PDB file of all heavy atoms in Angstrom:
ATOM      1  N   TYR A1597       7.557  15.864 -17.026  1.00  0.00           N
ATOM      2  CA  TYR A1597       6.200  16.412 -16.914  1.00  0.00           C
ATOM      3  C   TYR A1597       6.219  17.541 -15.899  1.00  0.00           C
ATOM      4  O   TYR A1597       7.023  17.542 -14.968  1.00  0.00           O
ATOM      5  CB  TYR A1597       5.162  15.348 -16.549  1.00  0.00           C
ATOM      6  CG  TYR A1597       5.371  14.656 -15.204  1.00  0.00           C
ATOM      7  CD1 TYR A1597       4.726  15.101 -14.044  1.00  0.00           C
ATOM      8  CD2 TYR A1597       6.205  13.549 -15.090  1.00  0.00           C
ATOM      9  CE1 TYR A1597       4.906  14.454 -12.816  1.00  0.00           C
ATOM     10  CE2 TYR A1597       6.387  12.901 -13.868  1.00  0.00           C
ATOM     11  CZ  TYR A1597       5.738  13.357 -12.744  1.00  0.00           C
ATOM     12  OH  TYR A1597       5.925  12.720 -11.545  1.00  0.00           O
ATOM     13  N   THR A1598       5.348  18.491 -16.119  1.00  0.00           N
ATOM     14  CA  THR A1598       5.289  19.645 -15.233  1.00  0.00           C
ATOM     15  C   THR A1598       4.604  19.255 -13.936  1.00  0.00           C
ATOM     16  O   THR A1598       3.550  18.614 -13.962  1.00  0.00           O
ATOM     17  CB  THR A1598       4.492  20.769 -15.933  1.00  0.00           C
ATOM     18  OG1 THR A1598       5.084  20.980 -17.213  1.00  0.00           O
ATOM     19  CG2 THR A1598       4.514  22.054 -15.139  1.00  0.00           C
ATOM     20  N   SER A1599       5.203  19.624 -12.817  1.00  0.00           N
ATOM     21  CA  SER A1599       4.572  19.354 -11.526  1.00  0.00           C
ATOM     22  C   SER A1599       3.159  19.942 -11.514  1.00  0.00           C
ATOM     23  O   SER A1599       2.936  21.031 -12.038  1.00  0.00           O
ATOM     24  CB  SER A1599       5.370  20.004 -10.402  1.00  0.00           C
ATOM     25  OG  SER A1599       6.573  19.314 -10.216  1.00  0.00           O
ATOM     26  N   GLY A1600       2.237  19.214 -10.916  1.00  0.00           N
ATOM     27  CA  GLY A1600       0.859  19.702 -10.833  1.00  0.00           C
ATOM     28  C   GLY A1600      -0.006  19.278 -12.008  1.00  0.00           C
ATOM     29  O   GLY A1600      -1.156  19.690 -12.126  1.00  0.00           O
ATOM     30  N   THR A1601       0.543  18.445 -12.908  1.00  0.00           N
ATOM     31  CA  THR A1601      -0.266  17.927 -14.023  1.00  0.00           C
ATOM     32  C   THR A1601      -0.494  16.425 -13.799  1.00  0.00           C
ATOM     33  O   THR A1601      -0.107  15.880 -12.768  1.00  0.00           O
ATOM     34  CB  THR A1601       0.449  18.126 -15.372  1.00  0.00           C
ATOM     35  OG1 THR A1601       1.641  17.308 -15.371  1.00  0.00           O
ATOM     36  CG2 THR A1601       0.840  19.580 -15.586  1.00  0.00           C
ATOM     37  N   TRP A1602      -1.086  15.766 -14.793  1.00  0.00           N
ATOM     38  CA  TRP A1602      -1.348  14.323 -14.661  1.00  0.00           C
ATOM     39  C   TRP A1602      -0.253  13.457 -15.273  1.00  0.00           C
ATOM     40  O   TRP A1602      -0.489  12.330 -15.640  1.00  0.00           O
ATOM     41  CB  TRP A1602      -2.720  13.970 -15.249  1.00  0.00           C
ATOM     42  CG  TRP A1602      -3.816  14.368 -14.303  1.00  0.00           C
ATOM     43  CD1 TRP A1602      -4.678  15.412 -14.439  1.00  0.00           C
ATOM     44  CD2 TRP A1602      -4.136  13.742 -13.046  1.00  0.00           C
ATOM     45  NE1 TRP A1602      -5.510  15.489 -13.350  1.00  0.00           N
ATOM     46  CE2 TRP A1602      -5.193  14.478 -12.481  1.00  0.00           C
ATOM     47  CE3 TRP A1602      -3.609  12.661 -12.337  1.00  0.00           C
ATOM     48  CZ2 TRP A1602      -5.756  14.145 -11.244  1.00  0.00           C
ATOM     49  CZ3 TRP A1602      -4.169  12.322 -11.114  1.00  0.00           C
ATOM     50  CH2 TRP A1602      -5.233  13.073 -10.581  1.00  0.00           C
ATOM     51  N   GLY A1603       0.951  14.012 -15.399  1.00  0.00           N
ATOM     52  CA  GLY A1603       2.060  13.192 -15.907  1.00  0.00           C
ATOM     53  C   GLY A1603       2.320  13.447 -17.374  1.00  0.00           C
ATOM     54  O   GLY A1603       1.678  14.300 -17.995  1.00  0.00           O
ATOM     55  N   PRO A1604       3.267  12.729 -17.973  1.00  0.00           N
ATOM     56  CA  PRO A1604       3.629  12.973 -19.366  1.00  0.00           C
ATOM     57  C   PRO A1604       2.463  12.674 -20.314  1.00  0.00           C
ATOM     58  O   PRO A1604       1.637  11.802 -20.025  1.00  0.00           O
ATOM     59  CB  PRO A1604       4.766  11.970 -19.621  1.00  0.00           C
ATOM     60  CG  PRO A1604       4.993  11.229 -18.379  1.00  0.00           C
ATOM     61  CD  PRO A1604       4.016  11.632 -17.351  1.00  0.00           C
ATOM     62  N   SER A1605       2.442  13.389 -21.449  1.00  0.00           N
ATOM     63  CA  SER A1605       1.322  13.193 -22.372  1.00  0.00           C
ATOM     64  C   SER A1605       1.318  11.770 -22.940  1.00  0.00           C
ATOM     65  O   SER A1605       0.269  11.249 -23.321  1.00  0.00           O
ATOM     66  CB  SER A1605       1.356  14.226 -23.490  1.00  0.00           C
ATOM     67  OG  SER A1605       2.632  14.194 -24.078  1.00  0.00           O
ATOM     68  N   ALA A1606       2.484  11.129 -22.942  1.00  0.00           N
ATOM     69  CA  ALA A1606       2.529   9.750 -23.454  1.00  0.00           C
ATOM     70  C   ALA A1606       1.630   8.827 -22.617  1.00  0.00           C
ATOM     71  O   ALA A1606       1.135   7.815 -23.117  1.00  0.00           O
ATOM     72  CB  ALA A1606       3.960   9.240 -23.422  1.00  0.00           C
ATOM     73  N   SER A1607       1.407   9.181 -21.357  1.00  0.00           N
ATOM     74  CA  SER A1607       0.555   8.334 -20.529  1.00  0.00           C
ATOM     75  C   SER A1607      -0.908   8.467 -20.963  1.00  0.00           C
ATOM     76  O   SER A1607      -1.694   7.523 -20.892  1.00  0.00           O
ATOM     77  CB  SER A1607       0.744   8.712 -19.053  1.00  0.00           C
ATOM     78  OG  SER A1607      -0.465   8.892 -18.409  1.00  0.00           O
ATOM     79  N   ILE A1608      -1.245   9.675 -21.428  1.00  0.00           N
ATOM     80  CA  ILE A1608      -2.616   9.880 -21.930  1.00  0.00           C
ATOM     81  C   ILE A1608      -2.778   9.107 -23.237  1.00  0.00           C
ATOM     82  O   ILE A1608      -3.758   8.403 -23.456  1.00  0.00           O
ATOM     83  CB  ILE A1608      -2.880  11.392 -22.075  1.00  0.00           C
ATOM     84  CG1 ILE A1608      -2.841  11.997 -20.657  1.00  0.00           C
ATOM     85  CG2 ILE A1608      -4.207  11.677 -22.757  1.00  0.00           C
ATOM     86  CD1 ILE A1608      -2.679  13.479 -20.599  1.00  0.00           C
ATOM     87  N   ALA A1609      -1.725   9.195 -24.072  1.00  0.00           N
ATOM     88  CA  ALA A1609      -1.775   8.483 -25.357  1.00  0.00           C
ATOM     89  C   ALA A1609      -1.896   6.974 -25.146  1.00  0.00           C
ATOM     90  O   ALA A1609      -2.573   6.280 -25.906  1.00  0.00           O
ATOM     91  CB  ALA A1609      -0.526   8.815 -26.166  1.00  0.00           C
ATOM     92  N   LEU A1610      -1.280   6.466 -24.090  1.00  0.00           N
ATOM     93  CA  LEU A1610      -1.297   5.021 -23.809  1.00  0.00           C
ATOM     94  C   LEU A1610      -2.735   4.495 -23.720  1.00  0.00           C
ATOM     95  O   LEU A1610      -3.044   3.387 -24.156  1.00  0.00           O
ATOM     96  CB  LEU A1610      -0.561   4.768 -22.476  1.00  0.00           C
ATOM     97  CG  LEU A1610      -0.493   3.349 -21.947  1.00  0.00           C
ATOM     98  CD1 LEU A1610       0.522   2.541 -22.748  1.00  0.00           C
ATOM     99  CD2 LEU A1610      -0.089   3.324 -20.459  1.00  0.00           C
ATOM    100  N   VAL A1611      -3.605   5.311 -23.159  1.00  0.00           N
ATOM    101  CA  VAL A1611      -4.994   4.905 -22.970  1.00  0.00           C
ATOM    102  C   VAL A1611      -5.840   5.338 -24.173  1.00  0.00           C
ATOM    103  O   VAL A1611      -6.704   4.602 -24.651  1.00  0.00           O
ATOM    104  CB  VAL A1611      -5.529   5.522 -21.655  1.00  0.00           C
ATOM    105  CG1 VAL A1611      -6.990   5.196 -21.453  1.00  0.00           C
ATOM    106  CG2 VAL A1611      -4.708   5.021 -20.478  1.00  0.00           C
TER     107      VAL A1611
END
Side-chain angles (χ1 to χ4, degrees):
Y1597 62 95
T1598 307
S1599 288
T1601 66
W1602 283 107
S1605 53
S1607 131
I1608 295 163
L1610 178 75
V1611 177

